[in-house]
Amino acid sequence: MTAPASTPVPTLADIRAAAVRIAPLVHRTPVLTSTSLDVLCGARIFFKCENFQRTGSFKIRGASNAIMSLTDEQAACGVVTHSSGNHASAVACAARHRGVPSFIVVPENAPQAKIDTAAGFGGVISLCKPTLEARQEMVDDIQERTGAAMVHPYDNNDVIAGQGTAALELVEEITGLEIVSAPVSGGGLLSGTAIAATSLRPAIRVVGAEPVNADDAYRSIRAGSIQPLLHSNTIADGLRAALCPRTFDIIRSRVTNILTVDEETIIEAMKLIWRYLKIVVEPSGAVPLAMVLAHRERFAGRHVGLILTGGNLDLDKLPWQH
């Protein structure tokens, strides 16, 4: 099932407006390079470091744009969302900035570090079974009790426009980019990235990166329709959501390809980022570099922008520790 052709999608103007709206709450994150990683990849790589972003991930961009776009009447009873981690923290942070309560539904298998971060920003945490049905049921119950406005992690145009501001900054700063890549889960970031990048530079190719252990987007693009998330046994815990009609429609029209990568290469990419860039990146954030490593021939000699989506992980439970 795809979104109807008449469904409006965010434009470059919406992304530029979002950039102005969220400026008081977000950081303009740096772009790092490494000659050593360029040699390993056979390409010129530019890393957009959203691990330095407020709340530790890009998610604050979309959450703050959505929450700051609500009318006073819509925001009066607070906001509610469901998330396995980074979006939860972002919603709680943005809600606190606006001065309204936030109610966060979190699957019980979410990393404790991410749950603690959301609670630290004032989010009222409710744990649920780790299924989309359980998440939605609890969100519906909270909305019925509180009247809170839903801020969906990705099925929301204001969220998509906010996420697109990362690529807006990247493409405007690095003018020679030929390829831009972001991870794909529910598709909000990849949708916003594709709209921003291709609107600014029509010749740019946008490539999604996805774990082979959670490859619903890869299969959906090839099938021409949304495919179910059959499994999500991946260390990239931020990439365990499924596309929705809105994001599928944008990705199908604006993204050149989606490439998958195995767990071992994700771990290798994390280690390389730590070693050469000297920064902490969570598994989900390392997936784009893992994709370049796994598919070097597709990127050889190119100028490639990669969005490192976040740096929130439990340092006592690193994926290469047993």
Side-chain angles (χ1 to χ4, degrees), residues 7 15 19 36 41 73 85 111 115 129 136 143 149 165 167 172 186 194 203 238 278 318 320:
T7 300
I15 294 171
S36 296
C41 294
E73 182 180 2
I115 296 174
K129 295 294 182 183
Q136 192 58 53
Q143 282 192 291
T165 61
E172 287 185 337
K278 314 300 184 187
L318 297 175
W320 52 83

Side-chain angles (χ1 to χ4, degrees), residues 64-133:
S64 58
N65 189 50
I67 291 172
M68 298 310 293
S69 295
L70 294 172
T71 65
D72 289 343
E73 182 180 2
Q74 290 170 328
C77 297
V79 294
V80 62
T81 195
H82 59 75
S83 168
S84 62
N86 285 337
H87 179 70
S89 302
V91 166
C93 178
R96 187 176 72 174
H97 178 79
R98 176 131 192 202
V100 300
S102 60
F103 305 93
I104 315 294
V105 175
V106 181
E108 58 191 12
N109 64 347
Q112 188 62 45
K114 293 185 177 182
I115 296 174
D116 293 344
T117 300
F121 283 114
V124 179
I125 308 298
S126 298
L127 296 179
C128 70
K129 295 294 182 183
T131 67
L132 290 175
E133 293 78 13

Side-chain angles (χ1 to χ4, degrees), residues 18-31:
V20 174
R21 187 177 295 116
I22 69 178
L25 191 57
V26 307
H27 303 313
R28 184 181 181 96
T29 53
V31 178

Side-chain angles (χ1 to χ4, degrees), residues 24-67:
L25 191 57
V26 307
H27 303 313
R28 184 181 181 96
T29 53
V31 178
L32 299 185
T33 60
S34 164
T35 301
S36 296
L37 287 176
D38 288 350
V39 171
L40 282 171
C41 294
R44 187 81 168 95
I45 310 295
F46 299 86
F47 297 92
K48 179 65 170 169
C49 295
E50 288 294 289
N51 55 311
F52 291 133
Q53 187 54 263
R54 192 163 184 189
T55 73
S57 89
F58 75 96
K59 288 285 191 176
I60 190 64
R61 295 176 180 271
S64 58
N65 189 50
I67 291 172

Side-chain angles (χ1 to χ4, degrees), residues 9-12 15 58 154-157 159-165 167 182-199 206 208 243-255 258 307:
V9 298
T11 64
L12 180 61
I15 294 171
F58 75 96
Y154 49 89
D155 193 9
N156 179 305
N157 276 354
V159 169
I160 292 171
Q163 315 302 34
T165 61
V184 56
S185 181
L189 175 63
L190 187 58
S191 294
T193 296
I195 293 168
T198 60
S199 297
V206 177
L243 297 178
C244 64
R246 185 192 311 272
T247 56
F248 174 72
D249 190 56
I250 296 170
I251 290 169
R252 187 171 61 167
S253 65
R254 296 222 181 211
V255 172
I258 294 177
I307 299 180

Side-chain angles (χ1 to χ4, degrees), residues 227-292:
Q227 301 299 299
L229 181 61
L230 300 175
H231 50 76
S232 58
N233 184 27
T234 175
I235 60 171
D237 59 272
L239 304 181
R240 294 174 178 166
L243 297 178
C244 64
R246 185 192 311 272
T247 56
F248 174 72
D249 190 56
I250 296 170
I251 290 169
R252 187 171 61 167
S253 65
R254 296 222 181 211
V255 172
T256 303
N257 203 355
I258 294 177
L259 300 175
T260 59
V261 63
D262 61 31
E263 299 295 288
E264 292 75 16
T265 311
I266 296 172
I267 292 173
E268 179 188 359
M270 285 184 70
K271 289 181 175 180
L272 289 171
I273 290 168
W274 287 37
R275 178 179 180 183
Y276 291 112
L277 295 183
K278 314 300 184 187
I279 60 176
V280 176
V281 174
E282 63 190 88
S284 301
V287 170
L289 177 60
M291 177 199 67
V292 173

